[in-house]
Amino acid sequence: RKEVEQDPGPFNVPEGATVAFNCTYSNSASQSFFWYRQDCRKEPKLLMSVYSSGNEDGRFTAQLNRASQYISLLIRDSKLSDSATYLCVVRDDMRFGAGTRLTVKP
Amino acid sequence: DTGVSQNPRHKITKRGQNVTFRCDPISEHNRLYWYRQTLGQGPEFLTYFQNEAQLEKSRLLSDRFSAERPKGSFSTLEIQRTEQGDSAMYLCASSRNGFGNQETQYFGPGTRLLVL
């Protein structure tokens, strides 16, 4: 089993939709999690940290479920500009997931 | 521009040649990381430095790969006797030492390597 797993997608959603991605991890001792977005042929850019209590940044909400060992990213009111690949990372192990591709369509 | 910079941005080489990439981190960041990314995959950790000390190396980093950060500022990644399987994007990231979610990595634009 891979140590950090993501559904590769693609997720194709209309503008304004709400979409959620999950990312499972195998190391139960992991403490530090992040979401990055990566545009085609560009470097990953930090989207948000994932805190134990959950955190929100505008249309984006990140949550951590320690019992089931996954983190989630929720995007509300999706925009065309949200089209990208979303990478989760477990910083303790320095392991990235393979990414989930999102395409938002008009 | 005060972000992470990498040079060259693109490199085409023939199998068997040596290549060297450079990374300049954000100036106040004491940690520097190298990753490799292939199409459809997330970045794979290769190695990282805290100041000039190389603290961890992945099993992915064969003996053909070597990284240095001699003065604790910029870093170089050298690949000797390149193979076609080395073709990938090589990403550098830097961070300021911190705990848990306080340590955020910022990535450079990457060096795209093609081995013919």
Side-chain angles (χ1 to χ4, degrees), chain A residues 9-103:
Chain A
F11 285 64
N12 297 310
V13 302
E15 263 187 299
T18 295
V19 62
F21 314 132
N22 284 344
C23 169
T24 59
Y25 61 94
S26 59
N27 183 357
S28 59
S30 299
Q31 297 289 326
S32 177
F33 309 91
F34 297 83
W35 284 101
Y36 281 75
R37 73 169 274 166
Q38 186 171 29
D39 294 292
C40 189
R41 302 181 73 81
K42 299 285 190 180
E43 74 272 23
K45 291 190 185 295
L46 178 69
L47 183 63
M48 57 198 306
S49 304
V50 185
Y51 297 110
S52 298
S53 54
N55 47 303
E56 189 174 308
D57 182 4
R59 299 180 294 108
F60 298 83
T61 300
Q63 293 194 312
L64 168 63
N65 185 316
R66 286 197 186 279
S68 300
Q69 294 182 210
Y70 73 87
I71 62 172
S72 64
L73 178 67
L74 181 78
I75 307 175
R76 289 181 298 277
D77 187 25
S78 53
K79 312 290 185 191
L80 296 176
S81 58
D82 294 333
S83 297
T85 296
Y86 290 83
L87 299 162
C88 64
V89 56
V90 178
R91 278 284 295 113
D92 312 76
D93 301 325
M94 290 184 267
R95 295 195 184 278
F96 280 78
T100 298
R101 179 174 292 183
L102 170 67
T103 301

Side-chain angles (χ1 to χ4, degrees), chain B residues 5 9 16-17 31 48 50 65 78 86 90 110:
Chain B
S5 62
R9 296 290 305 278
Q17 298 294 305
R31 288 190 172 178
Y48 96 94
Q50 180 156 309
F65 287 71
E78 180 182 18
D86 297 331
Y90 289 84

Side-chain angles (χ1 to χ4, degrees), chain B residues 26-75:
Chain B
I26 294 170
S27 59
E28 64 267 26
H29 285 185
N30 60 340
R31 288 190 172 178
L32 187 148
Y33 303 79
W34 285 100
Y35 292 87
R36 178 174 66 189
Q37 187 175 26
T38 54
L39 195 63
Q41 300 298 315
E44 294 176 294
F45 168 75
L46 293 178
T47 188
Y48 96 94
F49 293 84
Q50 180 156 309
N51 300 313
E52 65 275 8
Q54 188 172 19
L55 296 188
E56 190 169 339
K57 290 170 64 172
S58 164
R59 314 188 276 278
L60 295 173
L61 211 67
S62 77
D63 56 5
R64 296 185 299 105
F65 287 71
S66 62
E68 293 183 341
R69 194 182 183 199
K71 296 182 180 179
S73 56
F74 74 91
S75 176

